[in-house]
Amino acid sequence: MGGVKELESKEELVKLVADGSPAVVHFWATWCEASKHMDQVFSHLSTDFPHAHFLRVEAEEQPEISEAYSVSAVPYFVFFKDGKTVDTLDGADPSALANKVSKIYGQITPGEPAAPASLGMAAGPTIIETVQNLVKNNGASQVESQAPSGLSDGLKTRLGQLINSHPVMLFMKGSPGEPKCGFSKKVVEILKNEKVNFGTFDILTDNEVREGLKKFSNWPTFPQLYCKGELLGGCDIVIAMHESGELKDVFNDHGVEISSSDKAPSTEPGEGKGGISQPSGLSEALTSRLEGLINSSPVMLFMKGKPEEPRCGFSRKVVDILNQEKVDFNSFDILTDDEVRQGLKVYSNWSSYPQLYIKGELIGGSDIVLEMQKSGELNKVLLEKGVLQKDTLEDRLKKLVNSSPVILFMKGSPEAPRCGFSSKVVNALKEEGIEFGSFDILSDEEVRQGLKTFSNWPTYPQLYYKGELVGGCDIILELKNNGELKSTLSE
């Protein structure tokens, strides 16, 4: 052992793990900068822990291995001990990686939490220096101690400083020169069209900022655009403001300087909705062919393999998501046509596959589609584009009550309940260690009124288990006091 070994097959992984030694697998991709940064840390760790297996998998090239461990985004790490999977890590977090490795290696005292401070106990000076440099270069900071329900004062200060670092500030996926999602790309194009100078922050490089900003702004998705410290909104809002002229008015009202330079590119005629800019370096024939393929179906997926037989885990994941959303779509197997495979990367300015398009507009790859599905944004886009028909209220309520095995309809959120009864039920569930989803009925009057009729229960909160109403506050507290709550929600 010692050093990093490239895995060639699933069988090889099974054989290496079977000897019971600690092992870590890094799933990465050549196009992902975060993967490359984390691979530096991974390589250094392999020298600090010479009696563990350090294994690397190029996720898209080894779909069988990626699929076996449900890899849908990179970087991703899987940890093994005594021949079993014991932990995973999603995203670029060097401190967490070092600590999880040290845990399976046995160099952190059992029962102690993994924290950046314990790096000194677990790793040699080389890895500590590497982590510090990586954190500095990525503009990241160590995760400060904070309550699960809120943000630490240090993180709040940092987010405030980032938001106010430029009069116009865009938190996006990727950079203006290389956006990593179609929505970020649209907003960049609009800002260039508006001829304003703007700063950006790539939220893919710093998970602390990425997750913290969602809570800080109470806005669950990216990109997020700020003007003089105030949130304007995401892609849809920016597009609407741009088309109505309101965005220009906002910039004028806030004294944002408009560039007189002609260097800032503008969208082409007919691209008022932030469509893909005309690519360069492609022949007219190929450009025309690509546009024809992209627009050949309202929902078009360029993937490796076919929907019934995907050739990589990432393509399979997007197919599964589209099937879950009950979306009719066409697909193109890029493995059968290298001209399309290479040309589409240039056309879309997107270097990997799969690529999903809705009504001719690039949505993104598997990680973007997965995140949009989780946040509900994918369904929203499909409805706005007329791909899906809006559910009836009854259909919507049925989906909501079945959206989590245990789901609480309450006033506010578990972190910030807006009534005492909701707070009591949240505390009861947490004290019993019950995982649950929630829905803030104050955010949606249609759901608030409709659920009363649907459930024949006139007040809130309402708790459901596997789609069936359990009851309100009094019933939940009675079940808890009788010691029956946990068993009732696990039958």
Side-chain angles (χ1 to χ4, degrees):
M1 287 185 274
V4 179
K5 178 178 176 58
E6 296 283 349
L7 280 176
E8 301 295 335
S9 67
K10 184 180 177 183
E11 290 72 24
E12 183 182 16
L13 173 59
V14 171
K15 184 177 178 180
L16 286 169
V17 169
D19 70 9
S21 300
V24 191
V25 181
H26 176 201
F27 292 88
W28 73 295
T30 54
W31 49 265
C32 179
E33 288 301 316
S35 285
K36 295 175 184 177
H37 287 309
M38 289 301 291
D39 202 51
Q40 297 174 26
V41 180
F42 194 65
S43 296
H44 280 287
L45 281 168
S46 71
T47 63
D48 283 341
F49 298 93
H51 300 296
H53 295 293
F54 284 80
L55 311 168
R56 186 191 290 118
V57 177
E58 189 165 354
E60 290 189 349
E61 300 303 321
Q62 297 287 346
E64 184 182 16
I65 306 177
S66 298
E67 185 180 343
Y69 295 96
S70 303
V71 179
S72 60
V74 292
Y76 188 80
F77 300 86
V78 180
F79 302 83
F80 299 86
K81 191 172 184 179
D82 299 326
K84 299 178 181 178
T85 304
V86 294
D87 206 350
T88 60
L89 174 63
D90 185 4
D93 188 336
S95 296
L97 175 61
N99 279 277
K100 286 176 183 286
V101 170
S102 67
K103 271 192 164 183
I104 64 169
Y105 204 77
Q107 288 194 318
I108 285 183
T109 305
E112 284 191 359
S118 60
L119 272 174
M121 298 167 55
T126 305
I127 183 59
I128 295 175
E129 182 180 355
T130 302
V131 171
Q132 288 173 339
N133 288 337
L134 181 57
V135 168
K136 181 179 178 182
N137 292 338
N138 283 353
S141 66
Q142 290 185 349
V143 179
E144 300 185 37
S145 175
Q146 62 186 66
S149 60
L151 302 174
S152 69
D153 289 339
L155 181 53
K156 287 180 182 177
T157 299
R158 185 175 176 226
L159 293 174
Q161 290 173 342
L162 285 171
I163 288 169
N164 289 283
S165 61
H166 292 80
V168 179
M169 185 66 184
L170 176 65
F171 292 84
M172 62 180 291
K173 294 180 178 179
S175 63
E178 192 175 353
K180 289 294 182 69
C181 83
F183 299 102
S184 293
K185 178 174 178 165
K186 288 178 187 177
V187 177
V188 167
E189 289 175 348
I190 286 172
L191 293 175
K192 289 180 177 178
N193 183 277
E194 295 282 351
K195 294 186 177 180
V196 295
N197 294 321
F198 60 97
T200 65
F201 186 93
D202 181 1
I203 52 92
L204 298 178
T205 65
D206 193 317
N207 199 55
E208 183 187 40
V209 171
R210 180 177 184 174
E211 296 305 320
L213 197 61
K214 293 178 183 178
K215 295 180 180 179
F216 186 90
S217 63
N218 194 27
W219 194 271
T221 58
F222 292 96
Q224 295 182 17
L225 181 65
Y226 291 77
C227 179
K228 292 294 182 75
E230 294 183 12
L231 176 66
L232 297 183
C235 183
D236 289 345
I237 290 176
V238 174
I239 289 175
M241 292 177 70
H242 171 64
E243 292 176 347
S244 68
E246 185 182 356
L247 189 59
K248 190 179 295 295
D249 292 340
V250 168
F251 291 148
N252 288 333
D253 292 344
H254 285 79
V256 174
E257 185 177 347
I258 306 298
S259 173
S260 59
S261 171
D262 293 329
K263 292 181 180 179
S266 61
T267 52
E268 296 293 325
E271 293 189 333
K273 291 189 178 294
I276 300 170
S277 299
Q278 181 67 25
S280 59
L282 298 177
S283 68
E284 289 186 11
L286 179 54
T287 299
S288 177
R289 186 182 176 210
L290 293 174
E291 289 175 345
L293 286 170
I294 289 169
N295 291 285
S296 63
S297 173
V299 180
M300 187 68 187
L301 178 64
F302 292 83
M303 61 180 291
K304 293 181 178 179
K306 302 175 182 178
E308 59 274 14
E309 193 177 349
R311 298 285 295 278
C312 82
F314 298 98
S315 293
R316 179 184 295 275
K317 188 66 182 176
V318 176
V319 168
D320 288 345
I321 288 171
L322 293 174
N323 287 335
Q324 289 165 16
E325 296 290 335
K326 295 181 172 58
V327 177
D328 291 327
F329 66 97
N330 286 347
S331 67
F332 185 93
D333 182 0
I334 52 95
L335 298 178
T336 65
D337 192 316
D338 199 56
E339 182 184 48
V340 171
R341 179 178 186 174
Q342 301 305 327
L344 194 60
K345 293 179 182 179
V346 177
Y347 183 93
S348 64
N349 192 25
W350 195 271
S351 59
S352 61
Y353 291 97
Q355 294 183 19
L356 180 67
Y357 292 78
I358 298 178
K359 291 292 182 76
E361 294 186 8
L362 175 66
I363 301 301
S366 64
D367 56 341
I368 305 296
V369 176
L370 177 60
E371 183 172 319
M372 288 178 65
Q373 185 198 35
K374 288 180 177 178
S375 69
E377 190 177 357
L378 180 60
N379 186 263
K380 179 182 176 184
V381 170
L382 291 167
L383 286 170
E384 289 175 348
K385 299 291 186 183
V387 175
L388 294 179
Q389 297 301 311
K390 188 174 182 180
D391 289 338
T392 64
L393 177 57
E394 184 176 0
D395 289 336
R396 189 177 171 216
L397 293 174
K398 285 180 180 178
K399 286 183 179 179
L400 282 172
V401 300
N402 286 282
S403 60
S404 178
V406 181
I407 179 83
L408 177 64
F409 292 84
M410 61 180 292
K411 294 180 179 179
S413 65
E415 296 78 21
R418 297 285 293 278
C419 81
F421 299 105
S422 294
S423 180
K424 288 180 180 179
V425 174
V426 167
N427 289 336
L429 293 171
K430 287 182 176 179
E431 288 170 8
E432 294 293 319
I434 297 169
E435 293 185 1
F436 63 98
S438 68
F439 185 93
D440 180 5
I441 53 96
L442 297 178
S443 69
D444 194 315
E445 187 66 18
E446 183 182 51
V447 170
R448 180 179 184 175
Q449 300 303 329
L451 195 62
K452 293 178 183 179
T453 304
F454 180 86
S455 63
N456 195 26
W457 194 272
T459 60
Y460 291 98
Q462 295 182 18
L463 184 70
Y464 289 76
Y465 176 59
K466 292 186 176 179
E468 298 290 334
L469 176 67
V470 178
C473 181
D474 291 343
I475 291 176
I476 302 308
L477 294 183
E478 183 178 343
L479 287 170
K480 182 180 182 297
N481 292 334
N482 293 338
E484 300 174 357
L485 182 58
K486 196 162 190 175
S487 60
T488 300
L489 300 180
S490 59
E491 292 176 350

